Amino acid sequence: MIQHNFDPVYNEHSKILILGSFPSVKSREAAFFYGHPQNRFWPLLARLLKEEKPETIEEKKAMILKHGIALYDAAEACDITGSSDVSMKNITPSDLSPILETGDIKAIFCNGRKSYDIVTKKMKREAHLLPSTSPANASYSMERLEEQWKVILEYL
């Protein structure tokens, strides 16, 4: 069983919560979200928010908090092979109550199907499914991701 090894990012101004499934190997090594250099999460968010792409963890935290975004993962712990969502077993869902009680969360968005399944089936919460920004989701171009993800802007 692998434990999530870094904290969620949120504050009292958070309006939406974006949930990944579980940190990839690269993200666990970096101890921060979307650490794989090929993951399109940070470039995509920067485009949507009309910001420069953040490079450091501090810049990433500052950008999302400035725009009212909270960030975490749907699973707190699981058995996983490498970074493969398909291999996730024995999933312990994350406790979202600190985020939901602190922020003014209007909507939960899931970065990919596995996150969505954990949130809607295990946590029994309403959420919006967005296509994964993972490099494994190569069928989605950046433009196609941007078209689908721009819905988050309605809540910010």
Side-chain angles (χ1 to χ4, degrees):
M1 179 86 58
I2 298 174
Q3 294 288 323
H4 201 293
N5 66 335
F6 49 93
D7 293 331
V9 177
Y10 64 97
N11 65 21
E12 65 276 9
H13 304 294
S14 299
K15 294 184 189 89
I16 67 168
L17 171 58
I18 298 175
L19 294 171
S21 53
F22 189 74
S24 68
V25 171
K26 292 284 187 197
S27 294
R28 294 192 304 266
E29 287 170 2
F32 200 67
F33 303 94
Y34 306 104
H36 192 289
Q38 300 305 311
N39 193 299
R40 295 166 292 175
F41 182 82
W42 295 111
L44 174 63
L45 223 51
R47 281 172 77 156
L48 289 169
L49 300 172
K50 299 190 181 348
E51 297 275 359
E52 291 289 320
K53 181 178 157 256
E55 299 298 333
T56 67
I57 290 173
E58 291 72 28
E59 289 172 354
K60 291 170 182 175
K61 284 181 182 179
M63 182 180 80
I64 63 173
L65 291 175
K66 171 184 169 185
H67 290 279
I69 298 171
L71 191 57
Y72 201 40
D73 290 303
E76 180 62 38
C78 65
D79 292 320
I80 187 170
T81 304
S83 302
S84 170
D85 280 3
V86 176
S87 75
M88 290 173 71
K89 293 184 185 78
N90 304 315
I91 296 166
T92 303
S94 295
D95 177 9
L96 303 180
S97 55
I99 301 168
L100 299 175
E101 290 165 9
T102 301
D104 183 22
I105 304 297
K106 309 253 188 273
I108 297 173
F109 292 92
C110 295
N111 187 352
R113 172 64 62 183
K114 190 64 170 191
S115 169
Y116 182 77
D117 287 348
I118 296 167
V119 172
T120 58
K121 293 178 182 157
K122 290 188 177 281
M123 295 181 191
K124 306 279 191 244
R125 292 191 181 275
E126 188 178 317
H128 302 267
L129 173 61
L130 294 172
S132 174
T133 59
S134 166
N137 187 18
S139 67
Y140 269 79
S141 66
M142 182 60 95
E143 292 71 28
R144 201 165 155 214
L145 283 173
E146 192 173 0
E147 183 61 32
Q148 296 291 309
W149 274 74
K150 71 180 182 186
V151 65
I152 70 170
L153 301 175
E154 297 170 22
Y155 295 86
L156 297 178

